[in-house]
Amino acid sequence: MVNIFEFIETSSWCRRANSATDLYQNENTYLPMFSKECISLINEKDALLHHNASEDSLFFETPSTNSGFKINDLIEGVEVGGSILAHLTKVMIKDSSLLILVRNNLSLTEGYGNRRWAEYQLNKWPSQHNYPLCMIQGENLLTLKQRIKIYSIDKKIQKIPIPAIYLSVRPNDKNIYHWVMETLIRLKCLDDLPELKNIPLIVRDQLSDFQKSTLRLMGVDNKLIITNGESFEIEDLFFPSIPSTPTQHPGAMHWLRDKFLNRMMKPANTKKRLYISRIDSNRQVANEDEIFSYLEGLGYEKLIMSEISAEDQINYFRAAESIVIPHGAAGTHLLFVPPTCKVIELHSPKWVNHCYLSLCASLGISYKWILGSQHGNDMDYVVNLNELKALISHNS
């Protein structure tokens, strides 16, 4: 069965609770978690300028691959949406989606963070968000193309008979970035409403070792309800939303950082220089051997993140004084670097993404960038060694 839906704000569907106790005891209520914040890179503008004017223009004017913002937008200042915790009744969750359906035809906007990000995601990747291009016949038999918000349920809908907390039903949350920045951030609800620590978390699949480790490091031991890729209905759901991403919310980044690091021993060595390899993934630096040969001479250590544990990954970054990192999910760990760390991020010209720039800006971390040149027909790229030498010399 195919259904058409529209978005509705949580504040239009639910009553704002008077207190955490009021929310816990009464359904169809909500409270704010993270407040809206404005992020502006005005203080970082000069530091971000490159020695190559044409590269500056391309980097500053290219919309980020998953937000639609340009760096120039961030310099002028943008509002990063906050998040809410809602207590909902009679909800349906469509598997592999961000749809929080309070009726067959109404989905909470906060499933996507906020309306701006929802509309961007729907238009950027419609096939992944139940938003196909449809052919509709007009009055004069003219064919009109338009996008319609629809979804369909292919399998039997399972029932969850007990209260639970929405954590994630997306298959790509085994990716480190999505898991930490767009899933674990929901666990702020356990701080705001400690009674939820006795209520299970809903996840789609069995957790990976990395996912289990991150929950342990955060001190989260709630039981899990695993949906195994099925849509479900639930009578009593606690739904924590996330701040609108991927322009990182400063307050949320500080909360995440503290949630991990307050429970971990400090690393003994805090002078590590790191190069993060993507040899085990896509968007590779095609001349990595040349780049690392130079970096190794300066005392840099190469890390392949898939070969080390979650705790060791975090501790390497905690000990770093300098990091050269191709853009990718491993950049999530910039969340944990010391305030004095100097970061140089390498970008494919086909995949410019500013999420770690805004992360570093939120935490006051020094950030530089290099835009590589295309290599072949895929997203691999070549990094200009002289540009890298110049930036490292500037950072010294």
Side-chain angles (χ1 to χ4, degrees), residues 19 52 57 94 113 165 175 182 190 220 250 253 334:
S19 64
N52 185 318
S57 177
K94 175 175 165 47
I165 302 167
N175 173 283
E182 298 175 2
L190 303 184
V220 175
M253 295 302 98
L334 295 172

Side-chain angles (χ1 to χ4, degrees), residues 30-48:
Y30 80 97
L31 280 173
M33 284 202 303
F34 290 107
S35 300
K36 294 178 181 179
E37 291 194 35
C38 184
I39 183 167
S40 172
L41 302 184
I42 189 67
N43 295 328
E44 285 83 8
K45 183 175 182 180
D46 290 341
L48 288 172

Side-chain angles (χ1 to χ4, degrees), residues 35-265:
S35 300
K36 294 178 181 179
E37 291 194 35
C38 184
I39 183 167
S40 172
L41 302 184
I42 189 67
N43 295 328
E44 285 83 8
K45 183 175 182 180
D46 290 341
L48 288 172
L49 288 173
H50 214 266
H51 66 273
N52 185 318
S54 62
E55 285 192 6
D56 276 344
S57 177
L58 179 60
F59 190 63
F60 278 55
E61 287 296 329
T62 301
S64 189
T65 51
N66 58 342
S67 74
F69 285 127
K70 306 171 185 176
I71 288 184
N72 278 338
D73 295 330
L74 304 185
I75 288 173
E76 293 173 3
V78 297
E79 184 179 78
V80 184
S83 64
I84 55 96
L85 170 61
H87 188 183
L88 305 169
T89 185
K90 297 180 180 177
V91 182
M92 184 172 72
I93 307 294
K94 175 175 165 47
D95 177 58
S96 302
S97 80
L98 295 171
L99 298 180
I100 312 297
L101 293 152
V102 291
R103 283 188 179 171
N104 284 344
N105 63 339
L106 289 177
S107 179
L108 293 184
T109 308
E110 286 80 4
Y112 282 83
N114 66 8
R115 188 170 292 273
R116 185 207 67 80
W117 199 43
E119 295 300 334
Y120 178 76
Q121 293 278 306
L122 293 173
N123 284 287
K124 180 74 172 180
W125 295 290
S127 62
Q128 296 180 29
H129 293 278
N130 309 282
Y131 197 36
L133 187 66
C134 298
M135 308 298 287
I136 298 180
Q137 205 73 8
E139 288 183 4
N140 298 320
L141 301 182
L142 295 176
T143 301
L144 303 177
K145 290 183 177 181
Q146 75 176 53
R147 298 195 186 281
I148 298 179
K149 299 183 184 72
I150 66 173
Y151 69 92
S152 60
I153 304 293
D154 299 325
K155 303 176 183 177
K156 181 180 178 181
I157 300 175
Q158 65 173 298
K159 310 285 185 180
I160 296 181
I162 59 175
I165 302 167
Y166 175 96
L167 194 60
S168 173
V169 296
R170 296 188 307 171
N172 62 346
D173 277 340
K174 292 192 184 297
N175 173 283
I176 296 170
Y177 175 86
H178 295 298
W179 175 249
V180 174
M181 298 295 190
E182 298 175 2
T183 301
L184 294 186
I185 195 65
R186 300 181 192 276
L187 296 176
K188 172 73 157 49
C189 69
L190 303 184
D191 286 358
D192 291 358
L193 192 55
E195 291 89 342
L196 297 184
K197 293 178 181 179
N198 298 316
I199 292 179
L201 305 169
I202 296 171
V203 295
R204 184 182 192 274
D205 301 308
Q206 295 285 347
L207 298 186
S208 67
D209 289 342
F210 178 87
Q211 290 172 311
K212 291 176 184 177
S213 295
T214 54
L215 289 176
R216 176 179 56 80
L217 291 172
M218 293 179 74
V220 175
D221 59 1
N222 296 53
K223 293 181 179 179
L224 301 178
I225 295 174
I226 299 169
T227 64
N228 291 312
E230 294 181 355
S231 301
F232 64 90
E233 291 180 344
I234 183 169
E235 288 288 323
D236 194 354
L237 179 72
F238 291 92
F239 165 61
S241 74
I242 64 173
S244 177
T245 63
T247 303
Q248 306 302 357
H249 184 288
M253 295 302 98
H254 282 281
W255 178 84
L256 262 178
R257 177 185 171 91
D258 292 345
K259 198 66 181 174
F260 278 95
L261 299 190
N262 286 348
R263 297 176 53 85
M264 298 178 68
M265 297 286 291

Side-chain angles (χ1 to χ4, degrees), residues 329-385:
T332 303
H333 293 84
L334 295 172
L335 188 65
F336 307 115
V337 301
T340 53
C341 183
K342 298 182 184 300
V343 175
I344 298 175
E345 186 176 21
L346 314 177
H347 290 266
S348 166
K350 286 191 171 183
W351 193 264
V352 177
N353 192 306
H354 311 138
C355 61
Y356 300 130
L357 163 58
S358 59
L359 168 60
C360 288
S362 293
L363 298 177
I365 306 299
S366 169
Y367 176 96
K368 302 287 186 183
W369 58 275
I370 293 177
L371 191 65
S373 55
Q374 186 175 342
H375 178 78
N377 296 320
D378 53 20
M379 288 191 286
D380 291 354
Y381 55 104
V382 172
V383 172
N384 186 306
L385 180 57

Side-chain angles (χ1 to χ4, degrees), residues 273-284:
R273 296 180 177 185
L274 304 177
Y275 172 75
I276 311 303
S277 175
R278 284 183 63 82
I279 196 67
D280 58 343
S281 189
N282 61 359
R283 293 197 310 277
Q284 295 182 12

